[in-house]
Amino acid sequence: MWPLSTASAQGRSIQFLFWLVIALALLIFVGVIGCLLIIIVRFRARPGALDPAPNYGNPRLEIGWTAIPVVILIVVFVFMVRTMNETTTIASNAFDVTVIGHQWWWEFRYPGKIVAANELHVPAGRQIRLSLQSADVVHNFWVPALNGKEQTIPGTTNIWTFTVDQPGKFDGACSEYCGSQHGWMRLTVVADDASAFNSWLSAQQAPAASATVGAHQDAIKLYAANACGGCHTIAGVSAGTVAPDLTHIGSRMTIGAGVLPNTQADMAKWLMDPQGYKPGSFMPNFHFTADQARQMAAFLEDLK
């Protein structure tokens, strides 16, 4: 989560502007402190010295300390406009993803009716165009290594763009307080090369449940008996829309937007006591037994 280590063209533009402003501010600081020290030492009062003659104006000095800030502001303004253009200009072939902020998780909608949660997979080297929306309150989509941050506001669509240089993983989070579990509204951007990204897209389009339903009948019955499908979608099993899509949850790295790693053991812990790990979240405690939780966790792990 270090904003000065950037992995995108847009991030480098922001970084250049940041260091330019820091350099100018440092130059001013050193100049002012230097002048102050010189004045204190050279013109300090000495024993027996007479009071200095009053000085009622110095046009050269006044013009100088007015002109210098104006020039500095013009320089900063020019580079700021350049940075704004570089971070908002979108190419015609940009890859579109819709981002929806929820309390407290992220939903990603891709072309072809692909839906993911909390992990944003993108192709490296291609510009990404995000349409940012909110399902409830104001959130703030922030991936420090890529391109600043942008709000998701109910009833509004904000556009945010970035181009990842190389394949890799980049951590992000909601950066605007949005409720009790704001701190666990994490996300990960996974940049893949073109081949790996296309393979991921193909896998996400397949109904993962079709290959696992027969092997997990007891878990399917538990899923139905506890009305899990009223909130969650599993393609071919249920079509809930208010909680993360579970069709391919087995392929994700974390549970609960980052609160636990996505292992079978941790999934069982989560199912047995979600409020213990993420208090205030909308995932209720169904009081599964340890055996029931293991059955459900094995089923969800197979949804890849």
Side-chain angles (χ1 to χ4, degrees):
M1 301 291 284
W2 179 240
L4 300 183
S5 178
T6 185
S8 73
Q10 295 82 1
R12 282 192 297 275
S13 183
I14 294 173
Q15 190 178 71
F16 174 82
L17 181 63
F18 172 82
W19 286 118
L20 173 65
V21 172
I22 289 294
L24 291 173
L26 184 62
L27 183 64
I28 294 169
F29 176 78
V30 171
V32 170
I33 296 301
C35 289
L36 183 60
L37 292 175
I38 291 171
I39 291 168
I40 289 172
V41 173
R42 183 176 178 183
F43 299 104
R44 71 187 186 279
R46 292 176 172 83
L50 300 175
D51 290 339
N55 187 335
Y56 295 102
N58 188 324
R60 289 183 180 178
L61 186 60
E62 293 169 5
I63 291 172
W65 71 39
T66 300
I68 292 173
V70 168
V71 171
I72 291 173
L73 289 175
I74 290 174
V75 171
V76 172
F77 176 77
V78 169
F79 283 102
M80 181 188 70
V81 171
R82 189 191 76 165
T83 298
M84 291 174 65
N85 288 334
E86 290 178 348
T87 56
T88 58
T89 301
I90 300 175
S92 59
N93 67 337
F95 187 83
D96 290 310
V97 182
T98 297
V99 178
I100 304 174
H102 299 259
Q103 291 177 306
W104 292 273
W105 59 284
W106 299 97
E107 180 179 5
F108 304 117
R109 294 186 171 272
Y110 294 78
K113 298 183 179 180
I114 296 171
V115 181
N118 303 320
E119 292 175 20
L120 176 63
H121 284 254
V122 299
R126 182 174 175 183
Q127 189 174 24
I128 310 302
R129 180 184 186 272
L130 301 184
S131 298
L132 299 168
Q133 303 170 6
S134 174
D136 36 55
V137 300
V138 176
H139 303 282
N140 206 312
F141 188 90
W142 181 42
V143 185
L146 299 183
N147 181 15
K149 59 181 70 174
E150 183 60 83
Q151 289 182 320
T152 69
I153 301 173
T156 300
T157 298
N158 288 332
I159 303 301
W160 195 79
T161 185
F162 62 90
T163 307
V164 185
D165 298 328
Q166 300 292 335
K169 297 177 183 177
F170 309 95
D171 292 327
C174 175
S175 67
E176 184 155 344
Y177 184 73
C178 55
S180 61
Q181 286 300 313
H182 161 72
W184 279 115
M185 192 171 171
R186 306 294 181 86
L187 70 118
T188 302
V189 174
V190 181
D192 298 314
D193 60 42
S195 176
F197 178 70
N198 289 332
S199 296
W200 180 85
L201 280 181
S202 297
Q204 295 296 304
Q205 287 176 320
S210 62
T212 60
V213 169
H216 296 282
Q217 285 299 315
D218 290 340
I220 292 292
K221 290 176 182 177
L222 282 172
Y223 183 86
N226 289 278
C228 303
C231 295
H232 294 281
T233 289
I234 296 179
V237 177
S238 64
T241 59
V242 298
D245 189 303
L246 303 180
T247 303
H248 298 279
I249 188 173
S251 64
R252 297 173 195 158
M253 293 181 286
T254 65
I255 303 166
V259 72
L260 286 170
N262 190 11
T263 66
Q264 187 171 329
D266 285 309
M267 179 62 78
K269 293 176 185 177
W270 168 259
L271 292 171
M272 291 178 68
D273 187 18
Q275 294 300 313
Y277 292 98
K278 199 166 183 176
S281 66
F282 300 115
M283 174 73 175
N285 189 337
F286 293 108
H287 304 287
F288 289 121
T289 66
D291 185 57
Q292 289 173 330
R294 283 193 293 269
Q295 289 176 4
M296 289 287 289
F299 167 53
L300 295 174
E301 185 181 42
D302 280 349
L303 295 178
K304 291 186 168 63

